[in-house]
């Protein structure tokens, strides 16, 4: 059920000419369910067909003009170790053998071109974008090289030119976006001798995949990997073995990465709105308290100075009564201190009495 | 002022100068390597482990430990705790230097450092929490610079500008608290995009809150710890107010840190409970998690409490050190240890010596600049000309 | 203003960008409003 090249060109024409037209507005706008670019492309990788010939790796290397690896592509011994995508290899094929018996399974890995890419969500300069062809593309002219996209990608795909001191780039499969725009299909798909890779509109690939599962229920696990992983990916996988066993994570969930961070992102503006109010409020309260205690202090001090020479105790009782009960305790202390001070003074220098406005030790400097 | 006289007779080859000199030279060598051979030559980073200690230590810990600036200025100017006034300047200075060094360290880590302003001025990736962090760190660094500048202006004798800036104190403080809240918490939220990579015990929807709250006690502890060191080495620089208040600061901040830390332990447990992660606690990861939480948060909180009750200054100071180590441990756990926990051990990251050299280099640079400033500018004392108008 | 968003990512870029500009405005607005609010208060040294 693969898609022929002519068919594909037809799709491309339709998609390119009518991207906007083909969507009914009610579907895409006005609500918060996002279905992805209509008619965007994807690739279906049927691992049951893959023979691990590494032709796709070779083609990818060629179309992307990457440096030739030391070990040539027809040397299959590299399959003995598990590999991941690298700065000079946008795609790698891995072999998974089930405890030495049974057929090995080969799985090609590359960027999955997520419908809601974690990498794009993470990039703080919009250097990674999902475009309408379905590809997630990278713009090196914006990239700062922070590598947060690599932290974010749940499939560990983006690689980085660590040995480039000043102009390192993020390197990852482009879904052959430049080729698609020219009307060509991805290099890896084109080169696959077994039709293990099928290129076409994602919707159509999903149908194809379902048909295959239905037709050969014994051959396939009833699951299309990528249909909903992390909100769905443009690259889809079929397998005869549980995906966990062929190196693919089954615990990623169906939530797009953007939903993990939308909470924190939404908190930010609210804090900016609320904090000034809250903080100014706290400030105003502390200021007011300060003002009150300041006034009371001055009041208490001046009164106590006035009565200092005369019958202190009686007047002190009266003074206490005039004060409200809540503030009593706090003021008591001040008053007592002021009184003692005044008393001391009056004892020592009885003649010079009320000339001074404030006892010196209470005029604590305020900053 | 005659600050220099005290050091005139000293030989240049003091232990401090020798050690910092060696580190700085080593740092410069690695710097050259970094910018000629690339990250690959000097770091152990790889495609699976894109962030190492330059992010885990220099960025995450640097920012957390520089939180003393906003905590102290908020306590003094917003909450009206005027008795901590003398702690504000040193704290703001440390924060300013801390952030400046964080930004410096980022120049080593990112691929094209001259593009660091891109997220703010060229292309705004607003869906990224890193954008939020970048924006806030940029703004906060500017705020801290302005907040710190009166000290420099007093030193230079520029009275007019100084008094203008001092009038802005409250606005700057509020602005600083907002920005700090945002980026301290967003640093934690950075990791929320990768639930599949971070161990569930550390991954939580509360990561934002955890980072923010832990930054508060990191800041408080840092102020205490820094005060300890400053007393040892810059005692002669301190004026009476500073000396009088510094004990108060240590006990007050210790008390605050203690309670905040206990609250933090509480919300950490809530996080485990809400995700029902209890069963992980019995695994090796769980032991490590409890080691961090009990050994480096609950324990120092308790030590703080005892120290404050018994008015034991030494104990407060040791608690502050343990707390600081705890925060560093937490940031390491999240960014390095529990990150990529599912990878086979052969693919895990361990820093190379040159990465450590750069981290030490950055810290040393900070200490040298700090020393330069506090021996010249009015940080630990009030400038006699301005004593009465602030 | 009738942009059609096909992906959550595009939607978020759009809405967050506007929000970021908005919060900048709110910050300044709140500050000015506070000055207006307290404009007739007796002048007092604030710090
Ligand atoms: S697989 Fe990774 S790199 Fe590719 S689009 Fe998804 S998140 Fe981005
Ligand atoms: S490394 Fe480049 S592409 Fe990746 S998140 Fe950073 S700026 Fe964006
Ligand atoms: S789509 Fe293109 S870039 Fe991606 S793996 Fe295939 S050939 Fe390579």
């Amino acid at each position: 059920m693969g898609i022929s090249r002519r068919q594909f060109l037809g799709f491309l024409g339709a998609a390119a000419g009518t991207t906007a037209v083909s969507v009914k507005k009610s579907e895409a706008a006005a609500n918060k369910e996002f279905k992805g670019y209509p008619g965007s492309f994807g690739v279906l990788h049927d691992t049951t067909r893959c023979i691990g010939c590494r032709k796709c790796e070779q083609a990818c290397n060629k179309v992307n003009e990457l440096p030739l690896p030391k070990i040539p592509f027809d040397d299959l011994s590299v399959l003995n170790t598990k590999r991941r995508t690298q700065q000079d290899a946008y795609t790698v094929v891995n072999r998974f053998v089930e405890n030495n018996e049974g057929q090995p399974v080969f799985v090609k890995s590359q960027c999955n071109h997520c419908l809601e890419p974690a990498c794009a969500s993470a990039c703080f300069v919009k250097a990674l974008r999902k475009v309408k062809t379905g590809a997630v593309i990278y713009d090196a002219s914006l990239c700062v090289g922070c590598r947060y996209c690599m932290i974010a990608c749940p499939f560990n795909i983006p690689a980085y030119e660590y040995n480039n001191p000043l102009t390192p780039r993020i390197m990852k499969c482009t879904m052959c976006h430049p080729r698609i725009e020219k009307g060509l299909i991805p290099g890896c798909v084109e080169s696959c001798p077994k039709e293990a890779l099928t290129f076409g509109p994602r919707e159509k690939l999903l149908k194809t995949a379902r048909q295959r599962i239905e037709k050969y229920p014994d051959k396939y696990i009833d699951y299309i990997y990528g249909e909903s992983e992390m909100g769905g990916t443009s690259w889809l996988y079929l397998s005869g073995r549980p995906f966990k066993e062929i190196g693919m994570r089954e615990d990623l969930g169906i939530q797009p990465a953007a939903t993990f961070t939308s909470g924190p992102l939404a908190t930010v503006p609210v804090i900016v709105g609320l904090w000034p109010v809250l903080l100014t409020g706290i400030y105003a309260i502390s200021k007011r308290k300060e003002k009150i205690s300041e006034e009371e202090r001055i009041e208490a001090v001046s009164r106590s100075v006035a009565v200092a020479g005369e019958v202190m105790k009686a007047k002190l009782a009266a003074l206490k009564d005039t004060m409200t009960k809540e503030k009593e305790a706090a003021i008591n202390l001040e008053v007592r201190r002021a009184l003692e001070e005044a008393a001391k003074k009056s004892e020592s220098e009885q003649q010079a009495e009320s000339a001074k406005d404030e006892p010196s030790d209470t005029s604590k400097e305020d900053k | 002022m005659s600050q220099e006289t005290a050091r005139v007779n000293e030989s240049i080859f003091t232990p401090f100068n020798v050690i910092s000199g060696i580190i700085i030279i080593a740092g410069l060598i690695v710097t050259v390597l970094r910018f000629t051979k690339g990250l690959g030559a000097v770091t152990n980073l790889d495609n699976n482990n894109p962030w190492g200690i330059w992010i885990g230590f220099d960025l995450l810990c640097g920012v957390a430990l520089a939180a003393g600036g906003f905590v102290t200025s908020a306590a003094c100017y917003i909450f009206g705790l005027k008795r901590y006034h003398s702690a504000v300047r040193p704290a703001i200075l440390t924060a300013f230097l801390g952030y400046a060094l964080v930004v410096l360290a980022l120049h080593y880590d990112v691929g094209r450092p001259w593009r660091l302003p891109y997220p703010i001025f060229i292309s705004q990736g607003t869906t990224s929490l890193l954008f939020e962090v970048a924006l806030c760190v940029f703004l906060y660094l500017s705020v801290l610079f302005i907040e710190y500048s009166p000290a420099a202006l007093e030193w230079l004798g520029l009275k007019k500008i100084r008094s203008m800036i001092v009038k802005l104190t409250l606005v700057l403080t509020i602005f600083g608290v907002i920005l700090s809240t945002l980026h301290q918490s967003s640093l934690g939220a950075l990791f929320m995009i990768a639930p599949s990579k971070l161990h569930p015990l550390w991954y939580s929807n509360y990561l934002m809150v955890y980072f923010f709250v832990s930054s508060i006690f990191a800041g408080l502890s840092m102020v205490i710890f820094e005060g300890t060191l400053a007393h040892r080495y810059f005692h002669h620089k301190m004026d009476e107010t500073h000396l009088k208040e510094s004990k108060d600061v240590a006990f007050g901040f210790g008390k605050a840190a203690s309670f905040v830390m206990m609250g933090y332990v509480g919300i950490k447990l809530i996080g485990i409970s809400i995700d029902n992660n209890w069963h992980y606690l019995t695994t090796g990861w769980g032991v490590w998690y409890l080691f961090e939480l009990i050994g480096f948060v609950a324990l120092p909180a308790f030590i703080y409490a005892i120290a404050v009750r018994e008015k034991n200054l030494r104990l407060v100071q040791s608690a502050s050190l343990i707390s600081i180590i705890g925060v560093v441990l937490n940031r390491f756990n999240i960014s390095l240890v529990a990150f990529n926990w599912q990878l086979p051990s052969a693919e895990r990251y361990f820093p190379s010596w040159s990465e450590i050299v750069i981290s030490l280099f950055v810290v040393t640079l900070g200490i040298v600049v700090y020393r330069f400033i506090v021996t010249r500018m009015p940080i630990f004392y009030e400038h006699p000309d301005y004593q009465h108008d602030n | 203003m009738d942009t059609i968003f096909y992906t959550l990512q595009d939607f978020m870029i759009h809405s967050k960008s506007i929000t970021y500009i908005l919060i900048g405005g709110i910050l300044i607005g709140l500050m000015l409003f506070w000055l207006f609010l307290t404009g007739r208060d007796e002048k007092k040294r604030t710090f």
Side-chain angles (χ1 to χ4, degrees), chain A residues 168-179:
Chain A
R169 291 167 296 171
I170 291 291
M171 304 297 270
K172 73 166 196 71
C173 157
T174 60
M175 206 176 173
C176 284
H177 180 71
R179 281 171 64 90

Side-chain angles (χ1 to χ4, degrees), chain B residues 88 211 364:
Chain B
V88 172
F211 266 59
T364 313

Side-chain angles (χ1 to χ4, degrees), chain A residues 123-150:
Chain A
C123 181
F124 68 160
V125 286
K126 293 190 280 191
L128 288 155
R129 271 182 312 134
K130 177 88 177 169
V131 292
K132 65 173 192 285
T133 53
V136 175
I137 56 166
Y138 167 70
D139 181 353
S141 71
L142 290 174
C143 178
V144 181
C146 67
R147 308 187 296 285
Y148 188 32
C149 48
M150 301 167 71

Side-chain angles (χ1 to χ4, degrees), chain A residues 47-48 209-210 212-214 216-225 237-246 250:
Chain A
T47 61
T48 64
R210 267 186 219 112
R212 283 189 203 168
I213 293 173
E214 230 159 79
Y216 305 103
D218 300 337
K219 195 172 158 195
Y220 293 104
I221 300 260
D222 185 10
Y223 190 80
I224 306 169
Y225 193 94
Y237 300 81
L238 282 177
S239 167
R241 289 248 302 275
F243 286 96
K244 210 165 38 195
E245 290 171 21
I246 57 170
E250 290 180 348

Side-chain angles (χ1 to χ4, degrees), chain A residues 110-114 117-120 136 152-158 172 233:
Chain A
Q110 70 299 304
C111 172
N112 285 324
H113 299 277
C114 308
C119 55
V136 175
C153 174
F155 304 103
N156 273 338
I157 294 302
K172 73 166 196 71
T233 58

Side-chain angles (χ1 to χ4, degrees), chain A residues 248-268:
Chain A
M248 301 173 78
R249 292 188 64 166
E250 290 180 348
D251 57 350
L252 295 177
I254 60 168
Q255 299 264 61
T259 58
F260 301 137
T261 51
S262 63
L265 282 172
T267 318
V268 169

Side-chain angles (χ1 to χ4, degrees), chain A residues 305-306 345 349-359:
Chain A
V305 168
K345 246 179 222 149
E349 25 179 315
Q350 269 177 349
Q351 60 273 54
E353 250 178 7
S354 50
K356 283 172 200 155
D357 15 310
E358 276 184 20

